[in-house]
Amino acid sequence: MLRLTQAENGVWKAYTVYTSLQELSSSREPLGKRRAEGTTESMPGDLAGGTRIERRSRQKNFLDKEPATLVIGAGQAGLNMGARLQSPGISYLITDQNERVGDNRRNRYWSNIHTWHTFLSRKTGHNLHRKTNWVIGLKHTPASWSWMSGCRPQSSQRTTTKLQASRRLSSRAAMGPNVQSGLVTFQHRDASESEIRGKKVVVVGSGNSGHDIAQNFYENDADVTLLQRSGTYVITAEKGIFMMHSGLHEDGGPPTEQCDNVSESLPWPVQLELSVHMTKTIADVEKETLDGLRRVGFELDFGQDGAGLTRAYFTRGGGYYIDVGCSQLIIDG
């Protein structure tokens, strides 16, 4: 794929060149009618080839044939390449400088070194909720919230946690300084399953999850306060997201394979530069919503270099809210 740009003198020049290997004509993938039936006798070598476990053992030790392809690096891209080669039956060997598969991530991120995940799974969050789920006391000052919690209501063990608050927003009414003891939970189910009607709820964090949980509680008649710890990039699903995908990933658009090639053909620095322009264009279209959030004290953040959702999604995995209705609740108070 060749992209051209026109210089000031009117001459067209190549801007980016992208090539992509789609298929090997000598080893076609088993798609459609070429797929194996799944039984042992339908696999190469028939029954004489052995069971699946025996075949896998021979494959791992290259007893039948040497690897035809060498994949350097057992990260996500390398493992994906191995899976793709496996499909048409191409033998391969993946090498990595680390001792175990996945060590490139374990050694890079501090949270994994200490066996703690940045994002909790439902099971982990549930277990943590069971261990430290009761708030013994909650104290509020203009600058922070702090609470004391224990493993069980009757437990004598106590820990105190302090949270600095930069913003405190409510979709209905602000919480007063006197807050009763309550439940701390990692919400993973619909609020209708909880007895929260008329109760005061504090949702910590103003990203996608925080907004969605706050809206869910509000729609189930809870008195919700959304605690914003830092600026958030806000883009509406109705307008902004549609603009980002217009012409590619949309109903009636090009085939998915073509859309993927167009997206992947742009070098990362180019994508970020284009995102800055797109973010400004979207902000102009969504000016009414953004101005409304500013009026009620919501802190907006358009991301590093103003690249908006694209950089936040790929580099942080958070810090943004794709608005599906909660922003208007905040604006309306």
Side-chain angles (χ1 to χ4, degrees):
M1 182 178 294
L2 176 66
R3 280 187 169 85
L4 302 177
T5 183
Q6 192 173 24
E8 294 181 357
N9 59 4
V11 177
W12 288 91
K13 295 184 178 181
Y15 183 48
T16 63
V17 178
Y18 173 77
T19 60
S20 175
L21 178 63
Q22 298 295 315
E23 188 178 40
L24 297 175
S25 58
S26 59
S27 302
R28 302 181 65 189
E29 290 193 74
L31 303 176
K33 294 182 178 180
R34 297 196 301 272
R35 291 179 299 170
E37 295 178 0
T39 57
T40 303
E41 57 270 20
S42 69
M43 301 175 71
D46 203 353
L47 293 175
T51 64
R52 290 180 180 274
I53 295 178
E54 292 170 339
R55 290 169 183 267
R56 180 56 182 155
S57 177
R58 296 181 66 84
Q59 181 188 36
K60 289 193 298 183
N61 293 287
F62 299 103
L63 298 181
D64 298 322
K65 56 182 177 180
E66 293 292 320
T69 307
L70 176 65
V71 180
I72 301 176
Q76 182 173 342
L79 296 177
N80 283 342
M81 178 62 70
R84 187 70 185 272
L85 292 170
Q86 174 79 9
S87 179
I90 301 175
S91 61
Y92 62 92
L93 173 65
I94 301 179
T95 64
D96 196 275
Q97 63 179 347
N98 295 300
E99 182 178 353
R100 297 179 299 167
V101 173
D103 273 351
N104 65 331
R105 180 176 179 85
R106 294 187 189 95
N107 297 336
R108 179 180 301 174
Y109 297 105
W110 179 89
S111 59
N112 286 335
I113 294 176
H114 292 267
T115 68
W116 189 251
H117 297 165
T118 302
F119 303 101
L120 296 179
S121 66
R122 177 177 297 187
K123 181 178 180 181
T124 304
H126 176 67
N127 290 337
L128 181 62
H129 158 67
R130 292 177 59 190
K131 293 178 181 178
T132 58
N133 63 345
W134 285 93
V135 174
I136 310 304
L138 181 60
K139 181 180 179 181
H140 169 256
T141 67
S144 67
W145 295 82
S146 61
W147 63 80
M148 183 177 293
S149 60
C151 293
R152 291 290 184 270
Q154 67 274 18
S155 173
S156 60
Q157 297 181 359
R158 300 288 185 267
T159 58
T160 301
T161 305
K162 187 174 183 180
L163 172 67
Q164 298 297 325
S166 59
R167 290 289 185 274
R168 186 164 60 89
L169 304 174
S170 175
S171 59
R172 298 182 69 183
M175 295 180 64
N178 299 318
V179 182
Q180 302 297 321
S181 298
L183 184 69
V184 174
T185 178
F186 294 88
Q187 191 66 16
H188 61 268
R189 60 185 180 183
D190 191 85
S192 62
E193 300 179 26
S194 306
E195 296 294 332
I196 48 84
R197 182 184 296 272
K199 294 184 179 180
K200 293 183 181 294
V201 176
V202 177
V203 178
V204 180
S206 57
N208 250 343
S209 297
H211 277 84
D212 289 345
I213 292 171
Q215 183 173 353
N216 184 225
F217 274 117
Y218 171 81
E219 291 172 348
N220 284 274
D221 297 322
D223 191 351
V224 185
T225 296
L226 182 64
L227 196 65
Q228 187 180 23
R229 297 176 291 181
S230 60
T232 307
Y233 175 67
V234 176
I235 180 173
T236 68
E238 181 182 6
K239 298 177 182 178
I241 295 296
F242 175 81
M243 293 171 63
M244 290 183 65
H245 296 288
S246 178
L248 283 178
H249 300 281
E250 62 179 3
D251 291 339
T256 302
E257 292 80 5
Q258 293 184 17
C259 294
D260 290 343
N261 278 332
V262 171
S263 300
E264 293 298 324
S265 66
L266 283 171
W268 183 237
V270 177
Q271 289 195 41
L272 294 181
E273 286 295 326
L274 294 176
S275 296
V276 173
H277 173 73
M278 175 60 72
T279 300
K280 292 179 180 178
T281 303
I282 293 174
D284 291 338
V285 174
E286 299 183 339
K287 185 177 185 301
E288 182 178 354
T289 298
L290 299 179
D291 287 347
L293 290 172
R294 290 189 181 97
R295 283 196 300 271
V296 297
F298 191 94
E299 183 180 347
L300 296 172
D301 183 359
F302 291 88
Q304 185 177 343
D305 300 326
L309 181 63
T310 300
R311 184 185 284 272
Y313 178 82
F314 284 106
T315 61
R316 290 186 55 190
Y320 58 86
Y321 169 52
I322 301 176
D323 179 31
V324 291
C326 193
S327 290
Q328 192 59 49
L329 293 176
I330 295 174
I331 294 171
D332 294 340

